[in-house]
Amino acid sequence: MAIPIAVLAYLVRTQFGPLIGLDQDVSTAATDATRSHDGIHSFAQTWEQLSQPWVMYALVGVPACVFAWARLHLRTRALWALATMATGWLVAALLKLAVQRARPVVEDPFAVHHGYSFPSGHATNNAIVVTAVLLLLRPALSSTARSTALVLGVIWVLLTCADRLLMGAHYLSDVTAGVLLGVGLCAASYAGYVGWSPPTPNDTPSKEAADDDAHQVA
């Protein structure tokens, strides 16, 4: 997923006409819809607060890691998830500084959004938290619970992306890059994690190692 992210970043930096035009058209249509419907405006404002990166980390990501550590005894998985979420947040922040894209210019804006635009911090960090938590808790979930959690996670991330467009905070390419970065980084990190065998103090596998082994087979 690094390839499409790099391509998008390059096209944004070079002001590639077709992409810039598409971004502007989508942004205009989305903000017009928000301005024309009070219900959409109220939803977008509420969702913007619910999906704040610090809210997702504080109320979803970190508690899930604590639960996995303390109750499920999946300790290396919990450490993996924490490290992945921290790394993802840092990578997204550095990428913003590298691209330095200005926020959309919206007539009669709904809110003031600071910082650079590419990639969307909301989209990136929500994708990171959702993906990391799904992978973290996967060994403890039944097949039905995994499918349900996946559907809910996808809906959450898509609504967050839509919210950024409706609020005029980001362009379509910003949220697209954010989702690719969040999901791709977690997938790559997890591939590295499951390829490493956690050391055990004796020959009897711990509950955590057994769960991890079962997950790898699945």
Side-chain angles (χ1 to χ4, degrees), residues 24 31-32 35 104-110:
Q24 189 59 57
T31 53
D32 285 348
R35 193 174 290 107
V105 177
V106 179
E107 183 179 353
D108 189 20
F110 313 112

Side-chain angles (χ1 to χ4, degrees), residues 187-203:
S189 175
Y190 190 66
Y193 168 75
V194 297
W196 170 66
S197 298
T200 55
N202 50 53
D203 295 333

